[in-house]
Amino acid sequence: MWNELHWAVQAVIALMLVVGGVFALVGAIGMLRFPDFYMRLHAPTKATTLGVGGVLVASMASNWAEGRYSLHELLITLFLFVTAPVSANLLAKAAMHLRSPSKAPVPHDQPRP
């Protein structure tokens, strides 16, 4: 199966897997390192979404290179890219409604609360 694919196709699939893995790792590290909820919200919605998207695109490229044309991975990727920002927005609004404190520094041109 993998031995039959052209080396360039294998390299592209491997590159997409590595890039997806790096983004997922950065998102996981961000979840651990950021100090408050609002900052932690960016890690899964940005980096981890790109990481999972990269792995799904690599899976889709692998299947297409073998002649299996399925849209399952494409649909999962599209739904992931649509639902992650919406859920992050709703989580941020809920945290603001509950007046969850932030540890982010206030910019100099903004009045302090």
Side-chain angles (χ1 to χ4, degrees), residues 12-111:
V12 168
I13 292 169
L15 180 69
M16 285 189 280
L17 285 172
V18 168
V19 168
V22 167
F23 273 112
L25 179 65
V26 167
I29 292 171
M31 285 286 288
L32 294 173
R33 299 286 306 209
F34 287 145
D36 69 346
F37 173 78
Y38 297 105
M39 292 182 196
R40 284 187 193 127
L41 192 59
H42 290 287
T45 57
K46 307 256 186 309
T48 307
T49 301
L50 287 174
V52 173
V55 171
L56 285 169
V57 169
S59 174
M60 186 172 51
S62 170
N63 285 332
W64 284 7
E66 293 173 357
R68 296 187 306 234
Y69 301 104
S70 174
L71 295 177
H72 293 111
E73 292 94 348
L74 180 63
L75 289 174
I76 292 170
T77 305
L78 291 176
F79 288 142
L80 179 71
F81 285 153
V82 168
T83 58
V86 172
S87 63
N89 187 16
L90 292 173
L91 286 168
K93 284 185 178 185
M96 288 175 56
H97 179 74
L98 295 173
R99 300 186 194 276
S100 178
S102 175
K103 295 180 182 176
V106 178
H108 297 293
D109 60 345
Q110 297 292 321

